[in-house]
Amino acid sequence: MEHQQQLDILIKSLDLLASSVEDLERTLPAFVNVGEDVISEFENGFLLLPQLIENKMLSTDSIVSMLRLNNKVQWCLRNIGEEYFSNEEWNKVRALAKLTSQLITKS
């Protein structure tokens, strides 16, 4: 997989995570577990981070933001769970995902 394609996958996963629950429910198929699928997409994107860092595709600020975002996602999964994907803490995750996507896009 080429580096730009990896970056595009990461950005897409961040944009999905940054979307409101309402938008996700409107755009994703009805059979999808919104929280579970969105988090899975983020985790798949996050796994690309080492290659993107090695290939100098990310700025230091965007790497730091990705790490903070992953920490927040993991905290939410441990303490809240994805079944409460629309609560205030998950909304903080969405805001951080949006910021992170913007940082990466500017890189």
Side-chain angles (χ1 to χ4, degrees), residues 28-101:
L28 295 174
F31 62 85
V32 168
N33 178 323
V34 171
E36 185 178 311
D37 282 14
V38 169
I39 293 163
S40 177
E41 285 294 318
F42 168 74
E43 289 172 339
N44 290 336
F46 187 79
L47 291 174
L48 299 172
L49 200 60
Q51 295 117 332
L52 292 168
I53 293 169
E54 288 170 354
N55 291 295
K56 300 178 184 2
M57 299 290 290
L58 300 172
S59 69
T60 302
D61 289 343
S62 61
I63 295 166
V64 169
S65 193
M66 276 297 300
L67 295 173
R68 283 189 180 129
L69 175 59
N70 186 61
N71 288 344
K72 184 66 175 173
V73 167
Q74 297 308 315
W75 184 92
C76 284
L77 287 172
R78 279 191 314 276
N79 294 290
I80 300 168
E82 83 246 350
E83 62 271 10
Y84 300 105
F85 196 59
S86 61
N87 83 358
E88 184 178 329
E89 290 302 317
W90 280 111
N91 286 336
K92 291 176 184 175
V93 166
R94 279 186 267 289
L96 187 52
K98 182 177 181 178
L99 171 69
T100 304
S101 178

